Amino acid sequence: MSDSHPNSHLVAKSGLFAGLHPGMGIAAKGMVAAFVIFTVLNVDFAGKVYGAVRSWIESGLGWYYITAMTVMFFVCVYLMFSKYGSLRLGDDDSRPEFSNFSWFSMLFSAGVGIGILFFGVAEPIFYFDNSGAFGYPNNPHADLNGHMDMNIQRAVDAMRVTYFHWGFHGWSVYVMVGLCLAYFGFRKKLPLTMRSALFPLIGNRIYGPWGHAVDLLAVFGTVFGVATSLGLGVSQMAEGLNVLFGIEPSIFTKLMLILVISIIATLSAVSGVGNGIRIISEWNIWLSVVLLAAFVAVGPAKWLMSFFITSIGDYIWNVVPMGFWTANEPGNAAWQGGWTIFYWGWWISWSPFVGMFIARISRGRTIREFMVGVMFVPTLIAFFWLCMFGGNAIWQEMNAVGGPGAAGGAGVIETVRAWNLPSALYGTIDNLARTSWMGDMSWMIWPLSALATFLLASWFITSSDSGTLVITTMLSMGDDDPPKAFRIIWGMGEGLVAAVLLLAGGLGALQTASIAAAFPISFVLLAMTWGLLKSLKEDPSASPAVDPNAIAPDGTHITQDLHA
């Protein structure tokens, strides 16, 4: 880090931690090592501890998560249309660093890319099913509407719940974190770290223990969120290699996938945002368009388009009531804890990482441009993706011999009931090619499966390299070009954590711990939101422009400066 950086006095100038805050660097490594060792030494015990914390949160604090998410959703809507919308995230004369296409590509890649590819088939099918095979209703929202049969009404309900978990409420968390960090980092010239958003509340104490604790919490969520996602994501990639080449999805195969992906992601992080991360993100979008186009063209295109419009309308009509719904009946409460509260925890735990990356690529944009771009564009893309993937699977089940879920039918519901989620995507591709309106398109199974597997890897690479950049930015006290050596250490470190946990069988346990970490992070997010609103209210640039030659009621001239 050069001495010209506004926070250079906070980091070491030489030695092992040159370019980083020494205390933060040591604490971060110690924290990661401690949690990995604790988990690996006794996976069952660690899983029970993490699980107990998560169960307590899901069963006793669901109302709190619902309230927190709803508050951030409505604050986002307010800011979008407020007088603050014209303020720039940076100096008044600053302009965006990236084109809209590059910006949207990176937003989508970091935020939800690999998630909707993994869950795009399995989640809508789970909500469409009515078997209650897991001990609670598959979709209480559909059941409460009386839509018990697996028909088009239940299908629309299934997509509505899927949109709800991947839609505006979740993205509002990313928006708030990204907006806070971009505003305080680029406009107020504070470090581009989580601690800076608390400046309006605690002042210079952000540079002390409270600030360190907030940033370390963000590092925890990022490291273990990325590592557990990589470990679990390679399961689907290994399934793809099995479909494509007959390679057994063994532990060795998964470890090799982790190694290759970690190396590529680290190289991308070292090359920086403007090169590797941007280029891979843009290629992801183009390849995703190809895969999406195949699902639309080969599948029941007219039905899918009609289903998309209907389900989007249903979501928009119900999004606010769904955001306030709190289950009381035991079965529904178990579903809400296992799905909605789980998702809210997952969004919150990932928000420091994704929000900071969004801030990093949004310098120079206005608040309104930022709000509309981050809230709506990735969300609408995700909705279309989920509907094309989930819609195809639902259509296949509804038109299968024997009806939805029947033995020997489409088989997707059976796969999800067996909780073999990695196979649901490939089963849908197989059905798509064999039941196309164009006739037998079996020749497409291999290329579509190959493209899906490649995208799983490349989407994850963009999440991993973004996470590496975010971690090193926080540890370097906001330097947007942190030392490359530490990008390599943390990039490969994420892969090492994933590999160790995969070998020890502790990935699921630590994923649970990551979700539990969302509880303290949620308090930080609410404090950040309050601090942002407080600071915006006091920002002189947000005042309405006044003509300096205007005459006040008492006859004197008004000399207030004009603000663009």
Side-chain angles (χ1 to χ4, degrees):
M1 178 187 290
S2 67
D3 289 340
S4 62
H5 190 277
N7 306 300
S8 60
H9 64 288
L10 300 171
V11 301
K13 302 296 189 297
S14 60
L16 186 62
F17 291 97
L20 297 185
H21 186 291
M24 288 287 290
I26 294 171
K29 291 181 176 65
M31 175 187 65
V32 171
F35 270 90
V36 171
I37 292 171
F38 173 73
T39 304
V40 169
L41 286 179
N42 193 330
V43 173
D44 291 338
F45 176 71
K48 289 177 182 177
V49 172
Y50 302 149
V53 174
R54 176 181 157 187
S55 296
W56 172 72
I57 291 171
E58 290 178 350
S59 61
L61 294 171
W63 62 270
Y64 166 72
Y65 274 57
I66 289 168
T67 302
M69 297 293 284
T70 302
V71 166
M72 284 184 274
F73 171 70
F74 279 109
V75 170
C76 285
V77 174
Y78 162 71
L79 289 175
M80 200 177 300
F81 298 102
S82 72
K83 65 179 181 179
Y84 310 117
S86 60
L87 290 180
R88 288 201 176 272
L89 300 174
D91 298 328
D92 288 338
D93 59 352
S94 62
R95 292 297 180 268
E97 179 181 358
F98 300 102
S99 68
N100 285 337
F101 178 72
S102 296
W103 187 50
F104 294 143
S105 298
M106 289 188 283
L107 288 178
F108 190 77
S109 295
V112 296
I114 192 171
I116 62 171
L117 190 53
F118 188 89
F119 288 105
V121 169
E123 190 169 348
I125 281 291
F126 182 91
Y127 302 144
F128 178 64
D129 188 14
N130 63 2
S131 65
F134 293 86
Y136 53 72
N138 287 68
N139 187 350
H141 292 281
D143 296 349
L144 291 171
N145 286 332
H147 301 159
M148 302 297 295
D149 296 332
M150 286 190 281
N151 53 27
I152 187 62
Q153 290 178 317
R154 191 173 180 88
V156 171
D157 290 334
M159 289 312 307
R160 169 168 35 107
V161 177
T162 305
Y163 296 153
F164 179 58
H165 289 155
W166 292 92
F168 297 138
H169 282 76
W171 273 95
S172 66
V173 181
Y174 289 175
V175 168
M176 286 310 306
V177 175
L179 180 60
C180 286
L181 296 177
Y183 178 79
F184 289 108
F186 301 141
R187 192 166 184 86
K188 299 300 183 182
K189 312 304 180 186
L190 291 169
L192 187 63
T193 64
M194 289 287 288
R195 69 179 72 205
S196 296
L198 301 180
F199 186 83
L201 304 179
I202 63 175
N204 285 327
R205 282 178 292 172
I206 64 170
Y207 299 111
W210 283 108
H212 298 339
V214 167
D215 282 352
L216 286 173
L217 199 58
V219 169
F220 177 93
T222 303
V223 171
F224 293 119
V226 171
T228 52
S229 294
L230 173 57
L232 298 172
V234 294
S235 298
Q236 193 169 28
M237 298 175 212
E239 183 67 29
L241 293 179
N242 186 30
V243 170
L244 296 170
F245 305 108
I247 298 174
E248 185 68 25
S250 61
I251 291 292
F252 177 77
T253 300
K254 294 174 183 178
L255 290 175
M256 289 299 100
L257 284 169
I258 289 175
L259 177 63
V260 172
I261 290 170
S262 297
I263 291 173
I264 298 173
T266 301
L267 291 174
S268 175
V270 168
S271 69
V273 176
N275 295 312
I277 295 176
R278 176 185 62 82
I279 293 169
I280 295 175
S281 297
E282 290 179 356
W283 271 104
N284 281 347
I285 292 295
W286 289 119
L287 291 174
S288 296
V289 167
V290 173
L291 186 60
L292 265 177
F295 266 70
V296 176
V298 180
K302 182 179 178 180
W303 185 90
L304 287 170
M305 292 298 103
S306 174
F307 186 53
F308 177 65
I309 297 300
T310 302
S311 58
I312 285 292
D314 190 54
Y315 167 73
I316 293 172
W317 184 259
N318 289 285
V319 61
V320 173
M322 288 179 74
F324 283 104
W325 182 68
T326 304
N328 295 312
E329 190 273 332
N332 291 347
W335 177 90
Q336 187 170 47
W339 286 93
T340 300
I341 305 304
F342 169 84
Y343 265 117
W344 290 172
W346 191 246
W347 283 97
I348 291 171
S349 66
W350 270 60
S351 63
F353 145 46
V354 179
M356 184 173 292
F357 181 73
I358 290 173
R360 169 64 184 82
I361 62 176
S362 301
R363 185 200 302 262
R365 296 187 181 273
T366 66
I367 287 180
R368 183 169 294 111
E369 183 182 9
F370 177 92
M371 303 295 286
V372 172
V374 180
M375 178 74 91
F376 289 105
V377 176
T379 306
L380 291 176
I381 295 173
F383 286 172
F384 188 73
W385 181 289
L386 290 164
C387 189
M388 295 307 104
F389 278 63
N392 260 297
I394 289 172
W395 184 88
Q396 291 166 9
E397 286 288 353
M398 290 174 61
N399 290 273
V401 176
V412 186
I413 288 179
E414 290 181 278
T415 301
V416 173
R417 284 176 185 169
W419 207 244
N420 186 8
L421 304 188
S423 297
L425 171 62
Y426 297 103
T428 302
I429 290 175
D430 188 81
N431 291 335
L432 182 70
R434 298 183 191 280
T435 62
S436 171
W437 61 273
M438 300 180 185
D440 188 357
M441 303 285 286
S442 299
W443 62 271
M444 292 189 67
I445 296 175
W446 198 94
L448 287 182
S449 298
L451 181 54
T453 304
F454 179 81
L455 278 172
L456 278 166
S458 60
W459 279 124
F460 184 80
I461 287 168
T462 54
S463 291
S464 181
D465 55 18
S466 306
T468 299
L469 196 64
V470 162
I471 292 168
T472 49
T473 296
M474 282 191 283
L475 297 181
S476 63
M477 294 301 294
D479 186 3
D480 59 9
D481 187 24
K484 290 181 171 58
F486 290 99
R487 297 187 222 179
I488 295 173
I489 290 171
W490 282 98
M492 296 306 297
E494 290 166 1
L496 179 62
V497 169
V500 170
L501 293 169
L502 180 65
L503 284 171
L507 279 168
L510 212 49
Q511 184 187 38
T512 298
S514 300
I515 301 302
F519 183 55
I521 292 175
S522 68
F523 291 105
V524 176
L525 298 190
L526 292 174
M528 291 172 65
T529 302
W530 175 253
L532 175 67
L533 294 174
K534 183 176 184 292
S535 187
L536 284 172
K537 186 177 181 180
E538 297 168 355
D539 193 323
S541 298
S543 303
V546 178
D547 182 354
N549 296 315
I551 305 297
D554 61 1
T556 59
H557 282 276
I558 296 174
T559 57
Q560 181 176 343
D561 291 336
L562 289 172
H563 295 286

